[in-house]
Amino acid sequence: MKGVGSCVSASQLLFVHLPFRGTSVFLWLARIKRRVPMHSPRCFLSRVGLTSKPGLLPWCATKPPGWSQLFLGSACEGNFTGMIAKKRQRGQKSQKKPSHVGPLDGSWQERLADVVTPLWRLSYEDQLKVKFEAQKKILRRLESYLQKLNGVNVTTSAPRAEGLACLLHPIIPSPVINGYRNKSTFSVNRGPDGNPKTVGYYLGTWRDRSIVCVRSNHLKNIPEKHNQVAQYYEVFLRQSPMEPCLLFHEGGYWRELIVRTNSRGHTMAIITFHPQELRQEELSVQKEAVKKFFTSGPGAVCDLTSLYFQESTMVRCSHQQSPYQLLFGEPHLYEDLLGLKIRISPDAFFQINTAGAEVLYRTVGELSGVNSNTILLDICCGTGVIGLSLAQYASQVLGIELVEQAVQDARWTAAFNGITNCEFHSGRAEKILSQLLKSKEDGQFIVAVVNPARAGLHYQVVQAIRNCRAIRTLIFVSCKPHGETTRNIIELCCPPDSAKKLLGEPFVLRKAVPVDLFPHTLHCELVLLLTR
């Protein structure tokens, strides 16, 4: 039977009918001899881990510990079995893995390195070749989408290269190859030895309940200082009477650790804590304990510049939702970049490769062509570095950023460096941009720079850019150009569409410059130049 495997005979198959949202779906399921009895389809399906929300299936199955999820193959269109497996009943506690998984040997470290830094076995020269080919493939796919849209002009005056209509620049390497990260996020969970107070990076998936937390001191992209702080946080956890929070609905308190550093060696640590039902007096005891550990206890060797504490009642909380509490030290980090002194708040976005960021921002500046007659519009500006570094060439810089602390950093940086032609606005770009552009359409040309998160630009932001006639040049920076960026570029370059409120002249993709900020990983920043 196709999709089941040649080792399974017809007599070992179970034919199951599943009613699903008014339709009938039939699955062929393999019978596993001596493990799953055939007397009850309900029992069989519960054993192979098909779980669901109430009403999705006529039963509610659970998966006993120690069982691997049975691969059922592509039984029907849309990967129905995978969809069922993902829909766990809300609030249902997962079964815990066996407490002892195995010794922490080189195999665990290599497995983690293969997941976090999959190119670590290659020379850096070969890594760049892999990334360049990946960016080329992404651009070819993007251009094929654009060519299918009637009336889209994807040709340029530049000669064709690499089989592309746009000009693809050779990849620009990172100035630093190892230990380049200035920010690392460490998780807390069970290690290979079963200890739940292990600090490191995850292996496995929550869906398969195969999570193992492995220490990261062998990863090539993590600096020694980050690993040192993580190691001592683990020491603190193991002497603390408070349990770690592995899953929110299962209780526990200590959660992840974020470490940020600058080029001068200053170090900021942020500890996330789930308060559960603790009173403020009890919380104060825990905050004092971790503060004492890192100031006068064993953790003092980390020489932290600042230590923050966040009471997080959700998987991820912003500073607005749950403010960072400074336990000791300086409230900010400062970085020297492109001749500027930059202030960085605990939750502000800053490129994780500082030396690589300088290369990236210089590339953006060269492509932008800003001059004294142009306004530079920096959308998703973070701490405002791109706009601030180009302010001397532009008539005005307008920055928009969601995180209020990052906007405050940008304003501080502008004032400290004597830059007076910059405005930074806090809030959602889709709420601010249209009104901001209306006040600036007075004959001046606007060069727009967008550097969004992996989720891409909100559709209303794309509409505002597309429909603003003053924007003639757009620089799109993306670390995931094969994701939502593709949709954004298509919307920016497609023919006018009144139904979608895309009325302005379409942009044309002119040039692409890959810049490597993430050695040893598959990720790469791609800088796209679009004009009209």
Side-chain angles (χ1 to χ4, degrees), residues 133-158:
E133 290 302 315
Q135 301 304 308
K136 189 196 306 182
K137 183 177 180 181
I138 290 169
L139 287 169
R140 283 175 176 165
R141 186 182 301 115
L142 175 59
E143 287 191 348
S144 70
Y145 290 151
L146 295 177
Q147 288 168 351
K148 290 176 183 178
L149 296 173
N150 183 31
V152 174
N153 176 21
V154 296
T155 61
T156 69
S157 58

Side-chain angles (χ1 to χ4, degrees), residues 66-312:
W67 281 75
S68 298
Q69 184 167 347
L70 181 65
F71 175 69
L72 301 178
S74 299
C76 61
E77 286 190 15
N79 192 13
F80 179 74
T81 57
M83 179 175 61
I84 296 174
K86 288 181 180 178
K87 291 184 176 293
R88 293 180 49 79
Q89 185 173 351
R90 186 180 296 253
Q92 178 182 348
K93 289 190 176 183
S94 63
Q95 301 290 337
K96 294 182 179 179
K97 298 291 286 185
S99 61
H100 185 78
V101 182
L104 180 59
D105 53 23
S107 64
W108 284 105
Q109 295 183 334
E110 285 195 5
R111 287 169 61 189
L112 180 64
D114 288 339
V115 171
V116 179
T117 53
L119 301 181
W120 69 280
R121 300 176 189 271
L122 300 178
S123 68
Y124 188 51
E125 181 180 357
D126 288 339
Q127 291 183 30
L128 294 178
K129 290 178 182 177
V130 170
K131 294 188 180 189
F132 182 77
E133 290 302 315
Q135 301 304 308
K136 189 196 306 182
K137 183 177 180 181
I138 290 169
L139 287 169
R140 283 175 176 165
R141 186 182 301 115
L142 175 59
E143 287 191 348
S144 70
Y145 290 151
L146 295 177
Q147 288 168 351
K148 290 176 183 178
L149 296 173
N150 183 31
V152 174
N153 176 21
V154 296
T155 61
T156 69
S157 58
R160 292 175 62 89
E162 306 292 346
L164 295 167
C166 74
L167 180 62
L168 175 60
H169 191 282
I171 189 169
I172 302 177
S174 170
V176 182
I177 300 174
N178 295 321
Y180 56 84
R181 292 190 66 99
N182 55 41
K183 179 182 178 182
S184 299
T185 301
F186 299 95
S187 299
V188 178
N189 214 294
R190 291 182 179 83
D193 61 354
N195 195 317
K197 294 183 175 181
T198 301
V199 179
Y201 279 64
Y202 284 151
L203 273 178
T205 64
W206 292 108
R207 183 183 65 185
D208 296 333
R209 304 165 195 163
S210 58
I211 291 294
V212 178
C213 196
V214 181
R215 298 187 187 108
S216 63
N217 48 342
H218 60 288
L219 295 179
K220 290 188 174 183
N221 60 345
I222 307 295
E224 291 183 11
K225 172 59 74 172
H226 293 201
N227 286 318
Q228 181 192 45
V229 179
Q231 175 186 344
Y232 277 93
Y233 182 50
E234 181 176 286
V235 171
F236 170 78
L237 293 184
R238 293 189 176 189
Q239 72 179 33
S240 170
M242 310 295 285
E243 292 300 315
C245 178
L246 308 185
L247 290 172
F248 266 54
H249 62 275
E250 291 185 353
Y253 303 93
W254 298 110
R255 294 190 57 232
E256 68 183 22
L257 165 74
I258 298 174
V259 182
R260 304 189 76 154
T261 48
N262 64 10
S263 56
R264 296 183 180 183
H266 299 160
T267 306
M268 174 188 293
I270 306 166
I271 291 174
T272 308
F273 186 88
H274 193 331
Q276 302 288 350
E277 304 298 327
L278 292 182
R279 300 187 303 271
Q280 282 303 314
E281 308 86 71
E282 296 170 311
L283 280 169
S284 297
V285 171
Q286 300 310 313
K287 287 187 277 189
E288 185 61 30
V290 71
K291 174 183 175 181
K292 183 177 180 180
F293 179 86
F294 280 105
T295 53
S296 58
V301 298
C302 297
D303 192 24
L304 295 182
T305 309
S306 57
L307 176 64
Y308 276 95
F309 186 92
Q310 186 189 40
E311 300 169 23
S312 179

Side-chain angles (χ1 to χ4, degrees), residues 15-27:
F15 189 62
V16 181
H17 169 253
L18 301 178
F20 178 65
R21 296 185 182 177
T23 62
S24 294
V25 179
F26 297 89
L27 299 180

Side-chain angles (χ1 to χ4, degrees), residues 33-50:
K33 284 187 176 180
R34 296 182 300 278
R35 287 190 177 181
V36 184
M38 288 290 288
H39 63 267
S40 168
R42 176 175 178 175
C43 177
F44 178 89
L45 291 172
S46 69
R47 292 287 181 101
V48 299
L50 291 181

Side-chain angles (χ1 to χ4, degrees), residues 5 12 63 86 230 468:
Q12 294 174 291
K63 181 178 178 182
K86 288 181 180 178
C468 178

Side-chain angles (χ1 to χ4, degrees), residues 510-530:
R510 302 290 184 182
K511 187 181 293 188
V513 183
V515 183
D516 185 26
L517 265 65
F518 318 100
H520 309 300
T521 78
L522 293 169
H523 300 295
C524 182
E525 294 280 357
L526 186 62
V527 186
L528 301 174
L529 170 65
L530 300 96

